[in-house]
Amino acid sequence: MENQTVRQVARISVGGKSVRVVLSNAFGEKPLTIGAGSVGIAGKGGEVDQATLKPLTWGGKSSVVVPPGAPILSDPIALPAEALSEISVSIFLPKKTALSSVHWDGVQTAYISGPGNFANDAAFKADSTLNHACF
């Protein structure tokens, strides 16, 4: 992927007042560049509830480079979520990125945009989908 946004839906088991997002480059052989990210309560068909959409940061910055073989943990985001609800995590991949760190048993749909950063858009047209979790 390159110059595309990936939106993934995850069911959370425990609710709370804030969330942190862990992304992984555990099996990557090159750095993983994340140009932007967001999180919000999932809607239908890859949409996010606009009122809950929040930008992700890492150490206060809106972008991050994850070294090969490593995970990255976002800063806490105030996002009240009920137990067993679904949240959407969107990441913009500005540079050519291989899908090397995936969860093949994670059977939630991932939505892949055409060219552009749509991380902070409540909805975007998906050019394709995947049936496993990425990063």
Side-chain angles (χ1 to χ4, degrees):
M1 288 191 258
E2 182 176 17
N3 187 31
Q4 292 175 284
T5 302
V6 178
R7 177 165 292 161
Q8 301 177 92
V9 177
R11 179 176 301 278
I12 58 172
S13 55
V14 178
K17 296 179 183 177
S18 65
V19 298
R20 294 183 90 174
V21 175
V22 178
L23 298 173
S24 175
N25 194 18
F27 302 106
E29 295 178 2
K30 296 181 180 180
L32 168 63
T33 300
I34 299 170
S38 66
V39 64
I41 302 298
K44 295 188 186 233
E47 294 186 7
V48 178
D49 176 353
Q50 179 69 48
T52 67
L53 189 61
K54 313 268 183 170
L56 288 172
T57 57
W58 298 269
K61 297 179 181 178
S62 62
S63 63
V64 67
V65 176
V66 187
I72 191 79
L73 180 64
S74 75
D75 297 332
I77 303 295
L79 180 68
E82 299 292 323
L84 303 178
S85 62
E86 292 184 332
I87 62 169
S88 287
V89 176
S90 302
I91 56 171
F92 171 59
L93 303 169
K95 296 183 177 182
K96 192 169 187 171
T97 304
L99 291 177
S100 54
S101 294
V102 298
H103 181 349
W104 294 105
D105 290 334
V107 292
Q108 294 284 10
T109 301
Y111 301 88
I112 315 296
S113 77
N117 178 359
F118 302 100
N120 291 306
D121 292 2
F124 64 80
K125 181 185 177 300
D127 273 8
S128 62
T129 59
L130 296 173
N131 289 322
H132 56 267
C134 310
F135 310 108

